[in-house]
Amino acid sequence: MKLVLSFLLLLSFSCFTVALTSYFSRINAQMTYSQGVFTNLCGTGTAATAHSCNQGCNVKTGSCSAKQATVVKFTCDGKVTDCRNNESSFSTSQSLEGVSCGKTVQLDIFNKVCRTDKGWVCGDRDLQDYLVWYSGDCPAKTSTATTPQVADKNTCDTQQPVAIQFRKSGGSWQSGPSVTAAGITVGEELEVNCFAQNGTKLLPGGTIQVTAPQGKPVTVSSSSELKNYRSFAAGTHSFSCISNSIASCGANDKITIQAAKVENKAVTVNPVKPISGKAIALSSSAPVAKAVPAHESACTGLAIVNGNNSLVPATVKLRASGTDNRGSLQKYRFTFGDGSVVEADKPELDHRYEVSGTFSVRAEIKDSQGNWKGSDACATTVTVKPAAVESHKSACSDLEVTIDNNGQAPATAKFKVSGYDNKGSIQKYKISLGNGTTRESDTQTFEEKYLEAGTFVAQAAIRDSQGNWKEDSTCRKTVYVSTQPLTQQPATGTPTIFTLAGLISGSAGIGIQYWKRRLKL
Amino acid sequence: MARPQLPSWILSVISFGLIGFFIIWLTLTYLPVLIVEVKYSSFQLLKSSFGVTDLRSLFIPNFKNLDLQGYSNYQDYGITIPVLNLDEPVVFNVDPNDEQAYGEALKKGIAHASGTSFPDSSGLGYYFAHSSSPELRSQYNAVFYLLGKLKLDDPIYIWQEQKKFKYLVSEIKVTQPEDISFLETEYDNEAIVLQTCWPPGTTSQRLLVFAQRVE
């Protein structure tokens, strides 16, 4: 019996250990040095993709070394993943030795000395290796302490006044219930601090939430400091600061982010990277993008270069055009109206029609950010003349779907059905909307308002000149009507309480058996 | 005065009841994980030792190994991750705020969160699945358990309506469940994020694997 119990106990801990080992091996943030813990390391996070991680930083010795004087040390209060305060001079080696409790230290190795007469001259591509380490929480004050603060409990009263302050990176702090003159435009970096005790300290245990215009509250920082926040929505952003360690303690303030100023001259815009807990050391004097114009792209035209009105089989050359103010167009998609759809890297394409008739042709462009865009300007008609002898051919060739409200329910979808018939005109159009509704019309266009979110398969058909309904796979499209955006990441694991209950019950059961046998009950 | 004692048989019932519950928990939660881990280990062993992905190819002449770089059993709606030997169906447009709705979807495979981007469109597409689940009803209760083994630049393929979209892992991180700040970020490329609960056997945190579209 003892053997069985021991085996079960061993098995349970093995399983849990396997899972935890897997977990901890992935999360370098849990690695420790001395009494502290690493909160960010080269080799994890977005920043790692831009760096070489040249092994100059050693987590075991808590130091970073380089052959030349290119190592810099930053020290910040509290636990953060990106620290840029109290910059040291550049040297060949820096270590975590002698750091007091409650501090974050960031050691960076660059490929050159970044602090010059012109200010900070390095960017993330110059960063070779880094580590960010938090020295650990300071011990709680005891009643034997002799400082006057002993009697002070960490209540919200001792923290007042609590306020949120904003500044553009490199600018001066501004506060107030509604900051409108901070000079922040969309895409620019914003720093937000949750200050306590009249701006002299950060609020203990603070977290920061933001609600963008027409958005929902989102936690953007698990500390009282927020750096590198960028929003691409102009308008009033509401920030909330809440302390996790002090009951009912926090503040709510707003800031207005202005729309981008579009200049007449060409503006070079660097690619926007996801914001995360990266350790890119930019000082307050680092250059900041001036203004990011809103992304605009469009399909502006579709021309028939040659081949129109030719005898079947006809080769027709088409050329699409489009614009994009942030980069190059990636692809072009041509829907030829005879059931063929082709994606191409170039704007000009030949297509051979094997049947005569009149074809609705359209083009779409894929812009630099991956959006497919069509327009009325990118639609035209190709005519192919019949041969002397040609059998009757007809088909439903295309179903074009556009949907408003960003596809979010309730959303109105517009459908345009196209087809061809080489011996006459199409008599009718029909569409099954995927929600149980079927409509028939003499015209090509249909409209349907989807009140509920869901996935709907729309199937269109045409009735040709001989009265036959033609339904083809090219006239079938899936319409996605989406729900509200996600408010919390869904739970996709075994509830933690179930796991705890399992482990505790196993231990308790084995314990009872053990004592029962020992006491010979 | 003698202390009153519980009869021995009551203690036995209680202890074996507790041990029974423990065994049920262990089986439900970690057996699927164990199966996935064993499959993955054998896949790795076959690949590194013999250069094949299927044991049968060692015995059956002309047996074709499945190449998940270019093939999926779910070419209408699926995800393949060759380094994990993962090839599973995707249910698109699932309400991520409705536990019942996504619970049903997760019995069929990997769920795509409604309101996030679809393949071949800009923005971030959000896909999620179980790392463990206390039910033995389907094969999908530990689909994303292996996500933690992915490394930067590992390829991920999404299939939609016979089209294949290739992504490379760009970032791996763990967040709190309520942290959805990454959805507010503007991405300069088509991107996806694969999410599962972490560590396996709990719902305390979320593992996020970000990938950028390359083909």
Side-chain angles (χ1 to χ4, degrees):
Chain A
M1 189 61 187
K2 275 185 182 174
L3 268 176
V4 174
L5 293 174
S6 306
F7 174 73
L8 285 173
L9 198 60
L10 193 65
L11 187 62
S12 70
F13 282 111
S14 302
C15 284
F16 207 62
T17 307
V18 165
L20 288 179
T21 306
S22 166
Y23 168 61
F24 284 118
S25 64
R26 168 60 54 200
I27 313 309
N28 284 340
Q30 297 299 312
M31 292 175 66
T32 58
Y33 169 76
S34 185
Q35 302 300 313
V37 61
F38 289 100
T39 60
N40 202 348
L41 292 170
C42 190
T44 63
T46 305
T49 60
H51 309 136
S52 56
C53 295
N54 68 359
Q55 312 293 314
C57 290
N58 188 329
V59 293
K60 289 181 181 171
T61 61
S63 63
C64 292
S65 305
K67 290 179 181 173
Q68 296 177 327
T70 54
V71 189
V72 64
K73 180 178 182 177
F74 299 92
T75 308
C76 298
D77 290 331
K79 187 178 183 181
V80 294
T81 55
D82 180 11
C83 167
R84 294 184 246 145
N85 298 340
N86 300 313
E87 178 187 320
S88 73
S89 58
F90 278 75
S91 65
T92 55
S93 178
Q94 297 279 3
S95 81
L96 302 174
E97 285 296 315
V99 178
S100 60
C101 62
K103 302 280 185 188
T104 294
V105 177
Q106 178 168 325
L107 305 184
D108 289 343
I109 301 177
F110 287 94
N111 57 7
K112 59 186 174 188
V113 176
C114 301
R115 182 61 69 186
T116 68
D117 298 341
K118 297 174 184 173
W120 188 269
V121 294
C122 292
D124 60 342
R125 293 199 178 277
D126 299 312
L127 187 57
Q128 302 286 295
D129 202 353
Y130 63 84
L131 58 81
V132 188
W133 175 77
Y134 175 60
S135 59
D137 295 332
C138 295
K141 291 170 185 170
T142 64
S143 57
T144 56
T146 55
T147 53
Q149 288 82 4
V150 174
D152 285 346
K153 287 185 177 176
N154 216 8
T155 65
C156 200
D157 289 341
T158 64
Q159 303 299 325
Q160 294 298 339
V162 177
I164 300 176
Q165 297 193 14
F166 306 95
R167 75 172 178 186
K168 190 158 95 173
S169 289
S172 57
W173 289 107
Q174 297 196 33
S175 61
S178 184
V179 175
T180 55
I184 302 281
T185 52
V186 291
E188 288 188 323
E189 289 188 352
L190 175 67
E191 290 181 27
V192 182
N193 271 6
C194 185
F195 283 119
Q197 300 180 31
N198 204 22
T200 57
K201 290 189 175 175
L202 291 170
L203 181 68
T207 59
I208 299 175
Q209 280 191 340
V210 62
T211 308
Q214 299 173 345
K216 294 198 166 190
V218 175
T219 301
V220 285
S221 174
S222 54
S223 74
S224 289
E225 285 183 296
L226 171 62
K227 291 178 179 176
N228 306 332
Y229 177 76
R230 282 192 286 185
S231 174
F232 291 86
T236 303
H237 290 60
S238 300
F239 282 83
S240 298
C241 167
I242 304 157
S243 173
N244 290 328
S245 57
I246 305 172
S248 306
C249 201
N252 297 298
D253 289 313
K254 295 177 181 173
I255 184 168
T256 301
I257 293 179
Q258 295 158 356
K261 297 167 191 166
V262 182
E263 297 176 13
N264 290 331
K265 60 184 179 181
V267 177
T268 303
V269 181
N270 292 322
V272 179
K273 289 183 176 177
I275 301 163
S276 69
K278 56 187 177 183
I280 298 174
L282 297 171
S283 77
S284 57
S285 58
V288 176
K290 286 280 164 60
V292 181
H295 181 228
E296 289 177 1
S297 61
C299 189
T300 53
L302 176 61
I304 304 171
V305 179
N306 57 47
N308 199 17
N309 289 311
S310 301
L311 279 174
V312 71
T315 298
V316 177
K317 187 186 281 291
L318 296 161
R319 185 192 300 136
S321 54
T323 58
D324 188 319
N325 68 342
R326 280 201 188 172
S328 305
L329 300 178
Q330 296 184 42
K331 281 189 175 180
Y332 301 83
R333 183 157 61 202
F334 297 88
T335 304
F336 294 103
D338 61 350
S340 306
V341 180
V342 173
E343 283 182 19
D345 295 329
K346 293 182 177 176
E348 204 166 270
L349 200 66
D350 287 332
H351 180 67
R352 183 180 162 95
Y353 286 89
E354 302 287 354
V355 61
S356 64
T358 303
F359 302 92
S360 298
V361 185
R362 62 190 176 94
E364 295 159 281
I365 56 108
K366 189 177 191 183
D367 69 19
S368 59
Q369 295 197 341
N371 303 295
W372 282 105
K373 293 207 172 159
S375 69
D376 289 344
C378 284
T380 189
T381 303
V382 167
T383 302
V384 177
K385 290 180 179 173
V389 180
E390 191 183 9
S391 60
H392 180 225
K393 288 175 185 168
S394 63
C396 184
S397 59
D398 184 26
L399 173 60
E400 186 182 357
V401 186
T402 52
I403 189 162
D404 69 357
N405 199 26
N406 287 323
Q408 192 173 310
T412 300
K414 291 181 179 173
F415 302 89
K416 184 179 178 186
V417 186
S418 300
Y420 62 86
D421 187 323
N422 65 346
K423 296 292 182 186
S425 303
I426 293 170
Q427 296 177 5
K428 276 189 178 297
Y429 299 87
K430 187 168 73 175
I431 187 165
S432 165
L433 295 159
N435 58 356
T437 307
T438 300
R439 298 226 177 91
E440 209 172 297
S441 171
D442 294 334
T443 62
Q444 289 178 276
T445 55
F446 298 88
E447 195 172 296
E448 175 71 1
K449 187 168 188 177
Y450 292 93
L451 299 174
E452 303 277 332
T455 301
F456 307 92
V457 178
Q459 174 72 63
I462 56 122
R463 194 165 80 182
D464 67 16
S465 57
Q466 297 186 0
N468 301 311
W469 282 105
K470 294 289 178 76
E471 187 179 282
D472 297 274
S473 61
T474 49
C475 282
R476 184 164 53 239
K477 290 279 164 65
T478 305
V479 180
Y480 295 107
V481 180
S482 61
T483 60
Q484 293 289 319
L486 122 141
T487 53
Q488 177 169 320
Q489 297 186 58
T492 51
T494 305
T496 309
I497 187 73
F498 187 55
T499 293
L500 286 175
L503 283 172
I504 292 168
S505 66
S507 306
I510 293 166
I512 291 170
Q513 276 296 322
Y514 174 78
W515 284 107
K516 186 168 162 262
R517 282 161 196 280
R518 184 160 181 181
L519 298 174
K520 296 181 180 171
L521 293 173
Chain B
M1 193 171 70
R3 282 188 303 175
Q5 287 186 339
L6 281 172
S8 173
W9 67 270
I10 291 183
L11 283 175
S12 295
V13 168
I14 292 171
S15 63
F16 284 115
L18 289 169
I19 292 169
F21 177 72
F22 165 75
I23 292 170
I24 290 168
W25 161 77
L26 195 66
T27 309
L28 293 181
T29 302
Y30 285 110
L31 184 60
V33 168
L34 193 66
I35 291 169
V36 171
E37 184 72 47
V38 167
K39 277 185 181 172
Y40 173 73
S41 300
S42 59
F43 164 74
Q44 290 293 90
L45 187 70
L46 281 172
K47 204 172 158 190
S48 58
S49 305
F50 306 106
V52 299
T53 57
D54 194 310
L55 187 65
R56 288 173 291 181
S57 62
L58 297 177
F59 308 104
I60 304 173
N62 301 323
F63 184 88
K64 193 174 179 183
N65 280 285
L66 192 61
D67 177 16
L68 291 179
Q69 306 275 357
Y71 179 81
S72 171
N73 288 310
Y74 309 99
Q75 297 195 6
D76 275 339
Y77 305 102
I79 287 183
T80 58
I81 306 178
V83 293
L84 303 181
N85 202 30
L86 185 148
D87 180 22
E88 301 293 354
V90 172
V91 182
F92 277 99
N93 204 31
V94 176
D95 186 350
N97 303 312
D98 182 343
E99 195 171 341
Q100 192 177 358
Y102 71 70
E104 285 301 313
L106 292 177
K107 289 176 188 167
K108 300 172 189 165
I110 297 159
H112 162 266
S114 184
T116 65
S117 295
F118 289 91
D120 204 23
S121 61
S122 64
L124 183 73
Y126 184 94
Y127 298 83
F128 57 103
H130 287 303
S131 57
S132 71
S133 174
E135 46 186 322
L136 281 174
R137 289 197 290 184
S138 72
Q139 60 172 309
Y140 300 115
N141 47 5
V143 170
F144 272 179
Y145 161 73
L146 294 172
L147 277 193
K149 298 183 190 297
L150 281 174
K151 296 184 181 71
L152 292 179
D153 292 332
D154 280 343
I156 297 170
Y157 298 89
I158 295 189
W159 291 82
Q160 187 187 32
E161 296 173 353
Q162 307 296 316
K163 286 184 183 173
K164 184 180 74 171
F165 305 95
K166 183 179 180 181
Y167 303 80
L168 293 181
V169 174
S170 58
E171 184 179 6
I172 302 168
K173 68 178 181 181
V174 171
T175 67
Q176 296 304 313
E178 63 275 10
D179 181 1
I180 53 168
S181 54
F182 58 89
L183 293 175
E184 299 284 310
T185 304
E186 182 172 298
Y187 294 84
D188 58 344
N189 200 354
E190 295 166 48
I192 57 169
V193 57
L194 310 183
Q195 176 257 306
T196 195
C197 278
W198 209 251
T202 74
T203 51
S204 62
Q205 291 179 300
R206 304 289 185 267
L207 174 67
L208 299 175
V209 175
F210 293 85
Q212 301 276 337
R213 170 98 184 266
V214 289
E215 284 175 20

